[in-house]
Amino acid sequence: MDTMLAGRLRLDSLTFAVEEVPVPVPGPGEVLVEVRAAGICLSDVHLIDGSLSPFRPDDAVAGSGALTLGHEVAGVVHSLGPNLVGAWNPGTRVVLQAGQSCGRCEACVRGFLCGQMTTRGVDYDGGWAQYAIAREDTLIRIPDNLPFEQAAIIPDAVSTPYGAFVETGAVRPGQSVGIWGVGGLGAHGIRIARLIGAAPVIAVDPLPAARERALAFGADVALDPAAPDFTQAVNEATGGQGLDVAFDFAGFPAVRDQAISVLGFGGALVLAGLTPAPITIADSITFSARRNQIRGHFGGEAQGVDRLVALASAGRLDLAPSVTARIPLAEAADGVAQLEKKIGDPIRIVLVP
């Protein structure tokens, strides 16, 4: 076993191809994982189209100018690096955290993302490969009853909305929430909202198929943002009170403007969808008088993945409908195109080595 297949992106030319590369060797504190499933995320699409770049590329990525994509990864422990004898048994089923932090600063100690956070498949080689390296403290055991393809999407597609709702949004049972964008993040946001008792759960998406999916995933109301009676519909659903918490999973300025306009007194907008566009408040007097807030959110907290694995394995969180398709690793480019063009209205497409 000297070589393996990996989905590699050339950072200078932004060309992507599945090619044969050497199997990585785990160093001190590292584990070699045999990948069984790896999710395709919009972030991967944005890396390939150049709208997203590595934030803190490690030496290997910087030196080679190429990156193995993939930050949603699950598999089994294959072998251990030096000084890890007995720490992890080969064959143990694991899911990999989407990134790794410095482990020293206050944010890391508290389990949050910090300024030194690096992301798998963005700053260092990820899991679109037959084998992947992981720092041993970024591995989480998964039980036998949790399929690899469902476990793989937890560290981002599920943990990001979980953190947005539970930590940043601090949603409490009975509070009204609005979810803009019912894609890979928003669809799971609906499930999390139901799980923690939010009511009503209002989904907003311009695509009819996405609105249908929102209702199937548990939304109480699914609205077209372009509907002339949009504001009236939100008021009716919330008893005239407006939203307690609104979540932007789309990352568009128009979404943020609309979400702010339907916040209730003390309501907050959580920004989970990423965009470089500036944040504007059209009517800052009303915004201040209503004691409204805007809160930034990025990724998921480390402890959230553990909790979500437990919830999924206990049957409290059904992730089976989230896996739209399974595609061989060799056909990764086709999977990227399907997600980019929304062919089949995918939630998550999973690569299988």
Side-chain angles (χ1 to χ4, degrees), residues 190-285:
I190 292 170
R191 300 235 164 185
I192 298 300
R194 294 281 299 193
L195 193 64
I196 62 181
V201 177
I202 302 172
V204 184
D205 200 291
L207 300 178
R211 295 196 295 272
E212 292 177 11
R213 178 169 63 212
L215 294 173
F217 271 48
D220 298 297
V221 181
L223 302 177
D224 182 346
D229 63 344
F230 175 84
T231 300
Q232 179 182 347
V234 173
N235 286 333
E236 289 178 355
T238 60
Q241 299 301 305
L243 295 173
D244 290 308
V245 191
F247 294 86
D248 168 23
F249 287 111
F252 292 108
V255 163
R256 297 170 174 187
D257 294 340
Q258 186 176 59
I260 288 173
S261 73
V262 291
L263 289 176
F265 186 86
L269 168 62
V270 175
L271 308 179
L274 302 181
T275 174
I279 299 171
T280 60
I281 301 174
D283 184 355
S284 61
I285 295 176

XYZ file of all heavy atoms in Angstrom, residues 190-285:
676
model
N -33.522 23.108 10.541
C -34.932 22.820 10.832
C -35.033 21.661 11.816
O -35.800 21.707 12.773
C -35.685 22.501 9.528
C -35.792 23.757 8.662
C -37.074 21.940 9.824
C -36.307 23.497 7.265
N -34.251 20.623 11.585
C -34.290 19.458 12.497
C -33.833 19.845 13.908
O -34.426 19.404 14.898
C -33.383 18.359 11.947
C -33.779 17.869 10.585
C -33.964 16.396 10.583
N -34.694 15.990 9.391
C -35.071 14.759 9.179
N -34.832 13.830 10.075
N -35.740 14.431 8.091
N -32.781 20.651 13.982
C -32.291 21.081 15.286
C -33.340 21.949 15.977
O -33.594 21.817 17.186
C -30.974 21.862 15.137
C -29.874 20.968 14.531
C -30.530 22.428 16.477
C -29.546 19.741 15.335
N -33.979 22.841 15.226
C -35.008 23.705 15.796
C -36.143 22.880 16.392
O -36.633 23.171 17.491
C -35.543 24.658 14.726
N -36.572 21.860 15.677
C -37.624 20.974 16.193
C -37.140 20.241 17.443
O -37.894 20.082 18.411
C -38.019 19.966 15.126
C -38.687 20.551 13.903
C -40.141 20.852 14.140
N -40.932 19.683 14.476
C -42.261 19.663 14.486
N -42.938 20.752 14.170
N -42.913 18.579 14.818
N -35.892 19.808 17.393
C -35.349 19.013 18.492
C -35.309 19.801 19.796
O -35.560 19.252 20.873
C -33.943 18.531 18.119
C -33.310 17.435 18.977
C -34.106 16.153 18.881
C -31.877 17.188 18.517
N -35.023 21.104 19.715
C -34.908 21.904 20.934
C -36.210 22.613 21.291
O -36.260 23.351 22.266
C -33.765 22.931 20.825
C -34.013 23.928 19.697
C -32.441 22.224 20.640
C -32.912 24.954 19.532
N -37.275 22.387 20.507
C -38.589 22.892 20.886
C -38.945 24.271 20.396
O -39.874 24.900 20.931
N -38.257 24.788 19.368
C -38.630 26.085 18.818
C -40.011 26.004 18.179
O -40.369 24.985 17.590
C -37.598 26.533 17.784
N -40.786 27.091 18.285
C -42.128 27.113 17.687
C -42.615 28.549 17.554
O -42.546 29.314 18.517
C -43.098 26.297 18.540
N -43.108 28.910 16.356
C -43.080 28.097 15.142
C -41.705 28.131 14.477
O -40.903 29.027 14.723
C -44.124 28.785 14.253
C -44.024 30.231 14.648
C -43.773 30.214 16.136
N -41.477 27.133 13.621
C -40.274 27.066 12.805
C -40.671 27.478 11.393
O -41.452 26.791 10.738
C -39.668 25.651 12.801
C -38.441 25.602 11.884
C -39.307 25.217 14.210
N -40.147 28.626 10.956
C -40.523 29.185 9.661
C -39.336 29.074 8.714
O -38.264 29.622 8.978
C -40.948 30.657 9.801
C -42.119 30.777 10.780
C -41.314 31.245 8.445
C -42.475 32.211 11.133
N -39.492 28.352 7.614
C -38.445 28.196 6.611
C -38.701 29.146 5.460
O -39.855 29.356 5.064
C -38.401 26.758 6.113
N -37.626 29.714 4.920
C -37.738 30.675 3.825
C -36.772 30.281 2.718
O -35.557 30.179 2.951
C -37.417 32.110 4.306
C -37.640 33.101 3.170
C -38.248 32.474 5.518
N -37.297 30.034 1.521
C -36.449 29.655 0.391
C -37.195 29.954 -0.897
O -38.400 29.715 -0.979
C -36.093 28.167 0.459
C -34.866 27.826 -0.373
O -34.949 27.890 -1.619
O -33.821 27.506 0.222
N -36.503 30.471 -1.915
C -37.181 30.785 -3.173
C -37.535 29.564 -4.008
O -38.372 29.654 -4.912
C -36.163 31.671 -3.912
C -34.847 31.247 -3.359
C -35.097 30.906 -1.919
N -36.920 28.405 -3.734
C -37.156 27.215 -4.537
C -38.324 26.400 -3.981
O -38.320 26.027 -2.801
C -35.904 26.340 -4.565
C -34.641 26.980 -5.150
C -33.474 26.016 -5.072
C -34.881 27.424 -6.582
N -39.326 26.095 -4.808
C -40.468 25.290 -4.345
C -40.042 23.945 -3.767
O -40.583 23.508 -2.743
C -41.320 25.125 -5.613
C -40.981 26.308 -6.454
C -39.518 26.564 -6.201
N -39.067 23.276 -4.414
C -38.626 21.975 -3.914
C -37.999 22.103 -2.532
O -38.182 21.231 -1.669
C -37.621 21.357 -4.891
N -37.270 23.188 -2.297
C -36.658 23.405 -0.985
C -37.726 23.658 0.074
O -37.603 23.209 1.220
C -35.677 24.567 -1.039
N -38.782 24.373 -0.295
C -39.864 24.619 0.668
C -40.601 23.323 1.001
O -40.983 23.095 2.158
C -40.826 25.676 0.119
C -40.187 27.045 -0.046
C -41.221 28.148 -0.202
N -42.022 28.031 -1.414
C -41.685 28.536 -2.582
N -40.532 29.183 -2.712
N -42.484 28.417 -3.637
N -40.779 22.478 0.000
C -41.398 21.175 0.266
C -40.528 20.348 1.205
O -41.022 19.685 2.116
C -41.616 20.430 -1.049
C -42.674 21.059 -1.956
C -42.795 20.336 -3.280
O -42.213 19.228 -3.416
O -43.470 20.855 -4.184
N -39.225 20.377 0.964
C -38.297 19.657 1.836
C -38.349 20.216 3.253
O -38.299 19.463 4.235
C -36.883 19.764 1.289
C -35.833 19.082 2.163
C -34.508 19.002 1.446
N -33.950 20.308 1.161
C -33.196 20.581 0.103
N -32.948 19.655 -0.799
N -32.693 21.788 -0.072
N -38.458 21.519 3.373
C -38.523 22.144 4.692
C -39.704 21.603 5.489
O -39.580 21.289 6.675
C -38.622 23.658 4.554
N -40.851 21.494 4.849
C -42.036 20.968 5.537
C -41.839 19.496 5.900
O -42.225 19.057 6.988
C -43.269 21.140 4.648
C -43.677 22.595 4.374
C -44.794 22.644 3.341
C -44.116 23.287 5.661
N -41.207 18.735 4.995
C -40.955 17.322 5.279
C -39.983 17.153 6.438
O -40.072 16.177 7.198
C -40.408 16.627 4.024
N -39.057 18.112 6.609
C -38.075 18.036 7.686
C -38.604 18.597 9.003
O -37.921 18.533 10.015
C -36.797 18.773 7.282
C -35.792 17.907 6.569
C -36.176 17.093 5.517
C -34.461 17.897 6.944
C -35.261 16.285 4.869
C -33.530 17.101 6.304
C -33.931 16.292 5.250
N -39.809 19.164 8.984
C -40.416 19.582 10.244
C -40.743 21.043 10.396
O -41.168 21.469 11.478
N -40.560 21.852 9.349
C -40.933 23.264 9.455
C -42.452 23.391 9.592
O -43.211 22.625 8.997
C -40.451 24.030 8.229
N -42.893 24.361 10.373
C -44.332 24.607 10.520
C -44.879 25.394 9.342
O -46.031 25.202 8.933
C -44.595 25.384 11.819
C -44.176 24.601 13.044
O -44.745 23.528 13.287
O -43.250 25.054 13.743
N -44.041 26.275 8.800
C -44.432 27.127 7.677
C -43.241 27.223 6.735
O -42.092 27.294 7.184
C -44.821 28.542 8.158
C -45.240 29.417 6.985
C -45.933 28.477 9.200
N -43.506 27.213 5.418
C -42.451 27.399 4.425
C -42.876 28.518 3.485
O -43.929 28.429 2.843
C -42.198 26.113 3.651
N -42.065 29.580 3.417
C -42.452 30.779 2.689
C -41.493 31.090 1.547
O -40.286 30.823 1.628
C -42.481 31.985 3.638
C -43.414 31.883 4.858
C -43.253 33.129 5.720
C -44.856 31.712 4.412
N -42.056 31.697 0.494
C -41.271 32.231 -0.608
C -40.885 33.660 -0.237
O -41.762 34.489 0.029
C -42.113 32.226 -1.887
C -41.348 32.726 -3.106
O -40.269 33.329 -2.941
O -41.842 32.515 -4.228
N -39.583 33.988 -0.205
C -39.185 35.339 0.215
C -39.689 36.430 -0.725
O -39.768 37.596 -0.327
C -37.651 35.276 0.212
C -37.321 34.160 -0.728
C -38.419 33.154 -0.557
N -40.042 36.055 -1.959
C -40.509 37.049 -2.921
C -42.020 37.235 -2.892
O -42.554 38.082 -3.618
C -40.081 36.651 -4.335
N -42.718 36.469 -2.059
C -44.178 36.579 -1.997
C -44.574 37.964 -1.495
O -43.982 38.474 -0.531
C -44.751 35.501 -1.089
N -45.579 38.602 -2.104
C -45.974 39.957 -1.690
C -46.514 40.018 -0.265
O -46.453 41.071 0.371
C -47.038 40.344 -2.720
C -47.509 39.055 -3.310
C -46.343 38.137 -3.282
N -47.019 38.896 0.218
C -47.574 38.877 1.576
C -46.614 38.233 2.573
O -47.027 37.743 3.618
C -48.908 38.133 1.593
C -48.763 36.655 1.186
O -47.713 36.290 0.605
O -49.700 35.876 1.448
N -45.308 38.276 2.269
C -44.321 37.604 3.117
C -44.380 38.108 4.559
O -44.481 37.318 5.505
C -42.911 37.801 2.552
C -41.829 37.243 3.433
C -41.489 35.903 3.376
C -41.162 38.048 4.350
C -40.509 35.377 4.212
C -40.171 37.531 5.178
C -39.855 36.192 5.102
N -44.279 39.405 4.760
C -44.271 39.969 6.115
C -45.560 39.633 6.851
O -45.537 39.281 8.042
C -44.079 41.489 6.057
O -42.822 41.779 5.424
C -44.080 42.090 7.455
N -46.665 39.718 6.166
C -47.948 39.375 6.778
C -47.969 37.916 7.216
O -48.472 37.585 8.300
C -49.088 39.630 5.790
C -50.473 39.280 6.333
C -51.565 39.498 5.297
O -51.347 40.132 4.263
N -52.741 38.955 5.559
N -47.405 37.020 6.380
C -47.380 35.597 6.719
C -46.541 35.337 7.970
O -46.913 34.521 8.820
C -46.837 34.798 5.539
N -45.410 36.036 8.100
C -44.580 35.877 9.302
C -45.327 36.380 10.528
O -45.327 35.738 11.588
C -43.236 36.617 9.144
C -42.455 36.601 10.462
C -42.402 35.991 8.036
N -45.976 37.509 10.397
C -46.741 38.055 11.521
C -47.867 37.123 11.939
O -48.120 36.927 13.140
C -47.295 39.434 11.159
C -46.218 40.509 11.145
O -45.217 40.395 11.841
N -46.416 41.542 10.334
N -48.540 36.534 10.978
C -49.618 35.607 11.301
C -49.079 34.368 12.015
O -49.667 33.887 12.984
C -50.362 35.208 10.028
C -51.210 36.317 9.430
C -51.886 35.895 8.137
O -51.614 34.752 7.666
O -52.670 36.692 7.596
N -47.943 33.856 11.542
C -47.372 32.647 12.142
C -46.863 32.893 13.555
O -46.849 31.981 14.392
C -46.236 32.119 11.266
N -46.446 34.134 13.845
C -45.881 34.453 15.162
C -46.848 35.222 16.057
O -46.441 35.770 17.081
C -44.589 35.283 14.998
O -44.903 36.506 14.314
C -43.539 34.508 14.223
N -48.101 35.259 15.680
C -49.081 35.982 16.488
C -48.814 37.471 16.552
O -49.126 38.121 17.558
N -48.216 38.006 15.488
C -47.937 39.431 15.432
C -46.704 39.866 16.200
O -46.404 41.071 16.263
N -45.949 38.925 16.751
C -44.791 39.259 17.590
C -43.480 39.357 16.821
O -42.504 39.907 17.330
C -44.638 38.212 18.702
C -45.830 38.120 19.649
C -46.102 39.441 20.337
O -45.218 40.016 20.969
N -47.327 39.937 20.207
N -43.434 38.820 15.617
C -42.180 38.776 14.890
C -41.297 37.641 15.390
O -41.652 36.920 16.333
N -40.132 37.489 14.775
C -39.243 36.374 15.100
C -38.382 36.663 16.322
O -37.870 37.760 16.491
C -38.328 36.065 13.917
C -38.997 35.562 12.634
C -37.965 35.464 11.520
C -39.660 34.212 12.868
N -38.224 35.637 17.155
C -37.271 35.745 18.264
C -35.837 35.637 17.747
O -34.962 36.398 18.170
C -37.541 34.652 19.299
C -38.837 34.881 20.056
O -39.024 35.990 20.581
O -39.672 33.957 20.107
N -35.603 34.686 16.856
C -34.264 34.515 16.280
C -34.405 34.164 14.798
O -35.181 33.277 14.438
C -33.448 33.420 16.988
C -31.980 33.477 16.545
C -33.535 33.538 18.504
N -33.665 34.864 13.957
C -33.614 34.579 12.528
C -32.223 34.060 12.181
O -31.218 34.538 12.741
C -33.925 35.838 11.720
N -32.164 33.089 11.265
C -30.893 32.477 10.890
C -30.682 32.612 9.386
O -31.507 32.166 8.588
C -30.866 30.996 11.276
C -30.904 30.757 12.757
C -32.114 30.697 13.431
C -29.731 30.617 13.483
C -32.162 30.500 14.807
C -29.761 30.413 14.851
C -30.984 30.355 15.522
N -29.571 33.233 9.018
C -29.197 33.340 7.612
C -28.225 32.214 7.291
O -27.057 32.256 7.669
C -28.545 34.699 7.333
C -27.891 34.743 5.959
O -28.297 33.956 5.090
O -26.974 35.567 5.769
N -28.721 31.189 6.594
C -27.864 30.103 6.129
C -27.549 30.248 4.645
O -26.928 29.370 4.058
C -28.532 28.745 6.382
C -28.555 28.344 7.821
C -29.756 28.289 8.523
C -27.395 28.025 8.496
C -29.794 27.920 9.856
C -27.411 27.658 9.834
C -28.619 27.609 10.518
N -28.004 31.342 4.030
C -27.814 31.543 2.596
C -26.615 32.425 2.285
O -25.931 32.229 1.285
C -29.074 32.147 1.989
N -26.370 33.432 3.123
C -25.224 34.304 2.900
C -25.430 35.349 1.824
O -24.508 35.664 1.086
N -26.662 35.902 1.762
C -26.951 36.954 0.789
C -27.423 38.208 1.514
O -28.225 38.125 2.452
C -28.030 36.504 -0.201
C -27.597 35.402 -1.123
C -28.089 34.117 -0.960
C -26.691 35.647 -2.142
C -27.686 33.093 -1.804
C -26.285 34.630 -2.991
C -26.787 33.349 -2.824
N -26.947 39.387 1.088
C -27.367 40.634 1.742
C -28.875 40.811 1.778
O -29.418 41.284 2.781
C -26.687 41.714 0.884
C -25.472 41.041 0.327
C -25.900 39.630 0.062
N -29.578 40.422 0.705
C -31.030 40.585 0.671
C -31.708 39.752 1.747
O -32.732 40.156 2.315
C -31.570 40.205 -0.706
N -31.129 38.589 2.040
C -31.668 37.732 3.103
C -31.581 38.445 4.443
O -32.534 38.464 5.231
C -30.902 36.392 3.148
C -31.146 35.670 4.469
C -31.316 35.508 1.981
N -30.446 39.071 4.693
C -30.229 39.727 5.977
C -31.153 40.927 6.148
O -31.713 41.146 7.223
C -28.759 40.127 6.093
C -27.864 38.908 6.081
C -26.397 39.209 5.953
N -25.623 37.970 6.108
C -24.315 37.913 6.174
N -23.611 39.031 6.085
N -23.703 36.761 6.322
N -31.356 41.677 5.068
C -32.267 42.812 5.128
C -33.681 42.352 5.457
O -34.365 42.949 6.300
C -32.276 43.562 3.787
C -30.933 44.225 3.479
O -30.151 44.426 4.425
O -30.685 44.528 2.301
N -34.115 41.287 4.794
C -35.466 40.789 5.022
C -35.622 40.208 6.420
O -36.634 40.446 7.096
C -35.821 39.725 3.980
C -37.270 39.265 4.049
C -37.609 38.289 2.938
O -36.999 37.228 2.825
N -38.598 38.646 2.118
N -34.621 39.465 6.881
C -34.694 38.857 8.216
C -34.774 39.926 9.295
O -35.561 39.801 10.251
C -33.490 37.954 8.437
N -33.979 40.987 9.178
C -34.017 42.065 10.167
C -35.397 42.712 10.210
O -35.903 43.062 11.283
C -32.930 43.113 9.848
C -31.535 42.542 10.157
C -33.157 44.399 10.655
C -30.403 43.437 9.708
N -36.044 42.821 9.055
C -37.335 43.508 8.979
C -38.459 42.769 9.697
O -39.488 43.373 10.010
C -37.728 43.734 7.514
O -38.137 42.521 6.891
N -38.282 41.475 9.960
C -39.348 40.711 10.623
C -38.941 40.221 12.018
O -39.581 39.347 12.587
C -39.812 39.520 9.752
C -40.554 40.027 8.525
C -38.643 38.633 9.343
N -37.868 40.796 12.578
C -37.498 40.473 13.961
C -38.479 41.122 14.920
O -38.955 42.230 14.700
C -36.088 40.971 14.279
C -34.902 40.250 13.628
C -33.603 40.951 14.000
C -34.868 38.781 14.024
N -38.772 40.414 16.008
C -39.599 40.980 17.058
C -38.759 41.764 18.050
O -37.538 41.910 17.886
N -39.391 42.251 19.093
C -38.675 42.996 20.132
C -37.648 42.070 20.789
O -37.966 40.973 21.242
C -39.655 43.512 21.185
C -39.004 44.406 22.204
C -38.857 45.764 21.965
C -38.511 43.878 23.395
C -38.244 46.588 22.893
C -37.891 44.683 24.335
C -37.757 46.049 24.084
N -36.395 42.533 20.844
C -35.322 41.720 21.421
C -34.841 40.612 20.510
O -34.010 39.798 20.917
N -35.335 40.578 19.261
C -34.956 39.510 18.340
C -33.544 39.666 17.818
O -32.989 40.764 17.759
N -32.960 38.538 17.437
C -31.577 38.527 16.962
C -31.473 37.849 15.612
O -32.203 36.896 15.316
C -30.669 37.820 17.965
N -30.543 38.330 14.801
C -30.205 37.701 13.529
C -28.854 37.022 13.684
O -27.875 37.667 14.083
C -30.149 38.740 12.414
C -29.529 38.288 11.084
C -30.314 37.146 10.460
C -29.408 39.461 10.115
N -28.797 35.725 13.367
C -27.550 34.968 13.431
C -27.045 34.746 12.010
O -27.757 34.205 11.157
C -27.761 33.616 14.141
C -26.476 32.786 14.101
C -28.197 33.839 15.582
N -25.812 35.154 11.758
C -25.203 35.039 10.437
C -24.388 33.761 10.361
O -23.262 33.699 10.854
C -24.315 36.252 10.153
C -24.952 37.632 10.358
C -23.937 38.720 10.050
C -26.192 37.778 9.481
N -24.965 32.725 9.760
C -24.265 31.451 9.597
C -23.836 31.222 8.163
O -22.909 30.462 7.901
C -25.143 30.298 10.071
N -24.521 31.872 7.209
C -24.107 31.810 5.814
C -23.041 32.850 5.556
O -23.180 34.002 5.977
N -21.974 32.464 4.880
C -20.820 33.347 4.731
C -20.878 34.148 3.432
O -21.214 33.618 2.376
C -19.530 32.524 4.762
C -19.302 31.674 6.014
C -17.977 30.940 5.906
C -19.352 32.528 7.266
N -20.551 35.417 3.523
C -20.430 36.288 2.371
C -19.499 37.444 2.734
O -19.501 37.901 3.880
C -21.805 36.857 1.935
O -21.601 37.825 0.891
C -22.512 37.539 3.089
N -18.680 37.909 1.780
C -17.817 39.063 2.065
C -18.559 40.384 1.990
O -17.982 41.433 2.281
C -16.754 38.971 0.961
C -17.468 38.302 -0.173
C -18.400 37.319 0.457
N -19.833 40.355 1.609
C -20.606 41.588 1.466
C -20.778 42.272 2.812
O -20.896 41.619 3.853
C -21.975 41.287 0.858
N -20.805 43.602 2.837
C -20.973 44.332 4.111
C -22.363 44.140 4.693
O -23.324 43.835 3.982
C -20.744 45.789 3.699
C -21.086 45.835 2.240
C -20.653 44.514 1.683
N -22.449 44.297 6.011
C -23.728 44.226 6.709
C -24.298 45.635 6.814
O -23.612 46.562 7.265
C -23.554 43.625 8.116
C -22.994 42.205 8.018
C -24.867 43.622 8.882
C -22.587 41.623 9.346
N -25.534 45.794 6.404
C -26.174 47.105 6.485
C -27.485 46.990 7.257
O -28.147 45.955 7.227
C -26.459 47.679 5.088
O -27.330 46.776 4.380
C -25.182 47.850 4.296
N -27.846 48.051 7.948
C -29.127 48.131 8.650
C -29.855 49.349 8.103
O -29.440 50.499 8.323
C -28.924 48.258 10.170
C -28.148 47.051 10.703
C -30.274 48.388 10.880
C -27.788 47.157 12.165
N -30.924 49.091 7.355
C -31.618 50.180 6.656
C -32.228 51.184 7.628
O -32.165 52.389 7.412
C -32.697 49.595 5.743
N -32.808 50.687 8.708
C -33.462 51.563 9.685
C -32.846 51.290 11.055
O -33.366 50.501 11.843
C -34.970 51.301 9.698
C -35.729 52.236 10.626
O -35.077 53.032 11.331
O -36.972 52.154 10.670
N -31.735 51.939 11.347
C -31.020 51.654 12.586
C -31.760 52.171 13.817
O -31.565 51.658 14.925
C -29.612 52.264 12.533
O -29.679 53.671 12.383
N -32.618 53.174 13.653
C -33.391 53.678 14.800
C -34.369 52.621 15.275
O -34.451 52.316 16.471
C -34.131 54.984 14.428
C -33.119 56.087 14.125
C -35.059 55.405 15.565
C -33.746 57.381 13.666
